[in-house]
Amino acid sequence: VLSGKGGVGKSSITTQLALSLSLAGKPVGILDIDLTGPSIPRLLGLEDAKITQAPGGWLPVQVHPSQVLPPTSELTEKTINGDGYNQGNRPLPPRTNGDTAPTPDPRPIGALYAISLGFLLPSRSSAVVWRGPKKTAMVRQFLTDVLWPPIDYLLIDTPPGTSDEHISLAETLLQQTAPPSPTSSPKLAGAVIVTTPQAVAVSDVRKELSFCRKVGIGVLGVVENMSGYVCECCGEETNLFGRGGGEVMAQEFGVTFLGRVPVDGQWGVLVEEGKRPRYGSQVVKNSSDEDEDELGEEEYEGTNQGDRGREVLDEDHDPEHQGQRQARDSACLVDKYRSCSLSSVFDGITRQLYNIVEVTSVNGT
């Protein structure tokens, strides 16, 4: 997962691609080679985890094992339109089968593993002050000395730019993943390029596309991150950073445009606080009496808006509901991610990537 620009969300994209592949039943590994700013441990909620040294190499940290997830009533709609959004870009209401609980998916999810320099540092604030040769050696060690369990996909989160880490990564990957015969398909599927819509970001990300062509790494597609913000309460969309820059760049370079990823505040709540995302009627918005007077005396099933809001507040403070929420929040990350509106977006992106990789593997091109 590459980008010539910092701050475009490569680590977030990598994490969500891994979660989406895991939900599809694929065992996945995440390799974080952003040595000076490793974000993967924090996004996975595993900052206290440590790498285990074993005979022959390092053992990656297990994020979650393969398992069958419990049913949830807070899943967002999985129907994707052409832009990679759910209809209207809005989180949709819970889906249930009448008064019964949703039917659980009997298929187990894939196990997820991760390795990062962040697992070797004493604390989050520890600085890594290394020159180029030491960075290069660490990247090569991560690529050759990690004892991965059986996995179908390895996602590599990279730092911005086209510097030492990228050159070392490209050289080592091309050597390690070379096909055993001319008729075999390479193990290195390709690169996912991440950008944001604004022109200043796109101009830097173009350099990463040129870098991939020079070193011989194929480009699977472009993701336009932070493309719009959808209000969690009213569903109104605002293009904070513009729209369409990534798609135009993909067309110019003749690569696949994988989709747009909007800003979702509940994704931040999930990774920062470990809480299950909540949308729509689950989000409480306080209104003053003055606002209620302006809105009039409109009622919803015999209850005015002020009473309706207070009922939600009372529910949030009810011990029974608090206990249920704590049980939900104690679930594993991939379980809670199913309730995030971005899970439907990445479901569509992952399907495209899977099809591209499988077609490449079958055709050998």
Side-chain angles (χ1 to χ4, degrees):
V1 180
L2 297 167
S3 180
K5 186 71 174 175
V8 298
K10 293 182 297 299
S11 298
S12 174
I13 297 295
T14 302
T15 301
Q16 294 187 78
L17 284 175
L19 293 173
S20 186
L21 283 167
S22 176
L23 287 171
K26 307 296 181 182
V28 186
I30 300 177
L31 172 57
D32 182 6
I33 66 164
D34 191 345
L35 304 180
T36 57
S39 301
I40 293 298
R42 185 169 185 176
L43 289 173
L44 296 176
L46 296 173
E47 288 187 286
D48 295 331
K50 297 298 179 184
I51 294 175
T52 302
Q53 183 73 43
W58 285 328
L59 296 178
V61 173
Q62 185 181 69
V63 182
H64 62 253
S66 178
Q67 58 186 295
V68 176
L69 294 179
T72 174
S73 61
E74 298 181 4
L75 292 180
T76 52
E77 178 62 59
K78 291 292 184 180
T79 302
I80 308 297
N81 66 18
D83 290 334
Y85 289 88
N86 55 19
Q87 186 177 4
N89 298 339
R90 304 183 185 186
L92 297 178
R95 299 181 66 187
T96 58
N97 300 323
D99 296 329
T100 62
T103 303
D105 190 343
R107 297 174 302 172
I109 63 171
L112 177 59
Y113 305 88
I115 195 160
S116 169
L117 186 61
F119 294 135
L120 298 172
L121 299 177
S123 69
R124 180 193 299 176
S125 59
S126 299
V128 176
V129 187
W130 290 353
R131 295 186 183 275
K134 193 167 185 179
K135 288 183 178 181
T136 299
M138 178 55 74
V139 170
R140 288 177 176 167
Q141 189 171 3
F142 272 159
L143 288 171
T144 58
D145 293 353
V146 177
L147 304 176
W148 294 100
I151 56 175
D152 288 349
Y153 295 93
L154 177 64
L155 305 181
I156 304 177
D157 184 31
T158 65
T162 54
S163 57
D164 293 342
E165 295 98 321
H166 300 80
I167 298 172
S168 176
L169 173 67
E171 292 177 347
T172 306
L173 278 178
L174 290 172
Q175 292 173 1
Q176 296 289 329
T177 62
S181 66
T183 58
S184 302
S185 59
K187 295 181 180 179
L188 178 58
V192 174
I193 306 298
V194 182
T195 186
T196 50
Q198 63 266 51
V200 66
V202 172
S203 62
D204 286 341
V205 176
R206 292 174 188 270
K207 302 172 186 176
E208 202 72 37
L209 286 165
S210 299
F211 169 82
C212 290
R213 289 184 172 178
K214 287 182 179 180
V215 300
I217 295 178
V219 176
L220 299 175
V222 174
V223 174
E224 185 176 292
N225 196 24
M226 306 182 198
S227 182
Y229 166 75
V230 180
C231 177
E232 300 168 9
C233 298
C234 67
E236 182 178 353
E237 180 182 356
T238 304
N239 293 320
L240 298 176
F241 306 112
R243 180 182 174 94
E247 185 172 9
V248 171
M249 180 183 67
Q251 292 174 352
E252 291 179 358
F253 280 82
V255 297
T256 302
F257 180 66
L258 296 171
R260 301 181 179 88
V261 180
V263 176
D264 182 358
Q266 289 299 306
W267 164 248
V269 170
L270 172 59
V271 297
E272 293 290 344
E273 303 178 23
K275 296 180 180 179
R276 188 180 291 273
R278 308 175 71 210
Y279 299 97
S281 62
Q282 300 168 324
V283 179
V284 178
K285 181 178 180 181
N286 293 325
S287 300
S288 65
D289 293 338
E290 181 179 348
D291 292 336
E292 290 182 12
D293 292 340
E294 293 178 357
L295 290 172
E297 298 295 328
E298 184 177 1
E299 296 184 353
Y300 295 94
E301 297 179 353
T303 305
N304 63 35
Q305 294 183 23
D307 291 338
R308 188 167 182 262
R310 281 190 287 273
E311 285 181 1
V312 178
L313 284 170
D314 292 339
E315 180 180 293
D316 284 351
H317 288 88
D318 181 74
E320 180 180 353
H321 286 89
Q322 286 181 341
Q324 293 174 355
R325 187 184 307 167
Q326 289 173 358
R328 291 198 303 267
D329 292 346
S330 65
C332 63
L333 176 65
V334 68
D335 184 8
K336 291 180 283 190
Y337 180 66
R338 295 184 296 167
S339 299
C340 182
S341 68
L342 294 183
S343 67
S344 62
V345 177
F346 277 88
D347 180 66
I349 293 175
T350 302
R351 289 175 186 273
Q352 291 185 72
L353 285 173
Y354 180 79
N355 291 333
I356 293 171
V357 171
E358 290 302 310
V359 168
T360 300
S361 178
V362 170
N363 295 338
T365 58

